[in-house]
Amino acid sequence: MIDYELVKTYGLSKPYTEETYPFGPEPLVVKVGGKMFALISPDSISLKCDPAIALNLREQNPEAIKPGYHLNKKHWNTVMFGPNISEEEIQDMIDHSYDLVVRGLTKSQREQMGLLAK
């Protein structure tokens, strides 16, 4: 079953990530290049998502995937941990969120981090 530690470990394994707690002891905000790509609470994770993909994911799994809680609902999904979502699905969504944020960084930032696509 998906849990906080598993999700936290995977999110922080991405290159050039940082662990921050701007809202207190919870939730954990994971950033790349100073930009948030994951907001992790004990029972859920919020992730950036392409708007069309976000809607599709919500339609496919309405029990586990909701519009971003306290976030832009067009660009963010909140995924509830539980039996309705697999580890692989969560990891794919984390990868997608990370990639979206990296693509949104300036060319200079991506060059400095070695993340510029060749």
Side-chain angles (χ1 to χ4, degrees), residues 15-16 32-34 98 102 105-106 108-116:
Y16 301 99
V32 61
Y98 177 85
V102 166
L105 298 175
T106 66
S108 172
Q109 285 176 300
R110 288 178 299 186
E111 282 176 345
Q112 288 175 350
M113 291 188 281
L115 296 173
L116 193 60

Side-chain angles (χ1 to χ4, degrees), residues 44-55:
S44 66
I45 182 171
S46 294
L47 297 160
K48 191 162 186 147
C49 192
D50 174 270
I53 295 171
L55 286 173

Side-chain angles (χ1 to χ4, degrees), residues 5-118:
E5 287 301 321
L6 182 73
V7 170
K8 175 183 172 182
T9 300
Y10 187 78
L12 290 170
S13 75
K14 308 299 285 175
Y16 301 99
T17 57
E18 63 178 310
E19 179 176 345
T20 66
Y21 296 89
F23 308 114
E26 288 181 4
L28 161 63
V29 174
V30 185
K31 297 180 178 182
V32 61
K35 305 284 185 185
M36 178 174 77
F37 74 92
L39 189 138
I40 309 171
S41 297
D43 60 351
S44 66
I45 182 171
S46 294
L47 297 160
K48 191 162 186 147
C49 192
D50 174 270
I53 295 171
L55 286 173
N56 190 20
L57 288 169
R58 292 176 206 160
E59 289 172 1
Q60 288 177 7
N61 195 342
E63 300 83 30
I65 304 173
K66 312 274 185 205
Y69 183 69
H70 288 298
L71 297 163
N72 181 322
K73 294 175 183 356
K74 181 177 179 181
H75 295 277
W76 289 83
N77 278 340
T78 296
V79 183
M80 305 305 295
F81 302 150
N84 294 327
I85 200 85
S86 73
E87 181 178 344
E88 182 178 292
E89 289 171 308
I90 291 270
Q91 289 175 346
D92 287 346
M93 287 185 263
I94 291 170
D95 292 345
H96 177 68
S97 181
Y98 177 85
D99 292 343
L100 282 174
V101 172
V102 166
R103 277 189 299 226
L105 298 175
T106 66
K107 183 178 179 182
S108 172
Q109 285 176 300
R110 288 178 299 186
E111 282 176 345
Q112 288 175 350
M113 291 188 281
L115 296 173
L116 193 60
K118 305 271 186 223

